[in-house]
Amino acid sequence: MDQVKIGHFLKELRQEKGMTQEALAARLGVSNRTVSRWENGVNMPDFDLMRELGSCFQVGVEELLDGARRESVSPGAEEALRKAAEYSAKEKSAFAKYLNKMFLFSIGAMLAYLALDSFEVPDTGPWGFLCGFLLGIDLGALILGALYTSGHMSRFRAFKRRLLGRDK
């Protein structure tokens, strides 16, 4: 897949329709800067947007991914891409829900710590342990959130699979 070729094809299709980048962006619900990045080959549209682009320009998704028009488009490709887009959307949604719960839990731990700290509980004994535990939960959740959102967690998972011999 050649991003630059696809970008030039998207630009050509947009200009054939007489659309500006702003008009296309408004129709797709993205910024005109995003459309510009697609057309310059800097990045690619998501799966679900590829389907919308195809219907907007009356071309198949295979044609968009090839960066050129085709004589015939296989009917199964559109269905496969639709399923991939739905799967991707479900994965993104599940990931967002997981992060949301984790950060809410972290906020709750921080608020509990601040409430205990406002009562000036002693740093030793069970209250000190509870305060340390709440700070640990908060710090752990923030570190996990940073690892997940940066993409490093997938590397950790791959490393763990190799160590455990589950690498396929």
Side-chain angles (χ1 to χ4, degrees):
M1 220 172 12
D2 184 0
Q3 280 187 215
V4 175
K5 185 178 177 184
I6 293 169
H8 288 296
F9 186 56
L10 286 173
K11 183 176 183 178
E12 178 185 316
L13 291 171
R14 178 182 57 78
Q15 289 173 340
E16 284 176 9
K17 288 282 190 183
M19 296 177 79
T20 63
Q21 287 182 343
E22 292 82 12
L24 179 60
R27 180 170 178 176
L28 298 173
V30 298
S31 70
N32 59 334
R33 187 174 178 190
T34 300
V35 173
S36 175
R37 287 181 179 161
W38 296 341
E39 291 182 357
N40 290 319
V42 176
N43 58 17
M44 294 278 295
D46 290 336
F47 285 128
D48 51 342
L49 288 176
M50 289 296 267
R51 289 184 49 225
E52 289 184 49
L53 282 166
S55 67
C56 176
F57 297 131
Q58 285 95 32
V59 295
V61 177
E62 281 184 352
E63 292 174 292
L64 289 174
L65 292 173
D66 285 345
R69 294 190 187 272
R70 285 185 169 185
E71 294 291 323
S72 64
V73 179
S74 65
E78 292 286 332
E79 181 64 19
L81 191 60
R82 183 189 62 76
K83 287 180 181 178
E86 287 174 3
Y87 176 76
S88 177
K90 286 179 186 176
E91 287 292 313
K92 284 181 184 179
S93 175
F95 180 68
K97 286 178 183 177
Y98 174 76
L99 283 179
N100 189 25
K101 288 177 186 175
M102 188 173 62
F103 285 130
L104 286 174
F105 187 68
S106 175
I107 290 169
M110 180 55 74
L111 290 174
Y113 169 76
L114 291 173
L116 286 173
D117 192 49
S118 68
F119 291 120
E120 298 180 12
V121 296
D123 290 338
T124 58
W127 291 111
F129 172 78
L130 183 59
C131 286
F133 181 73
L134 290 171
L135 278 178
I137 288 174
D138 189 47
L139 181 63
L142 291 175
I143 290 171
L144 274 176
L147 288 173
Y148 270 112
T149 56
S150 68
H152 291 299
M153 201 57 148
S154 60
R155 293 184 199 141
F156 286 130
R157 271 196 228 118
F159 178 70
K160 179 183 166 186
R161 284 183 158 300
R162 283 193 307 273
L163 282 178
L164 296 175
R166 295 180 188 163
D167 198 16
K168 294 181 182 178

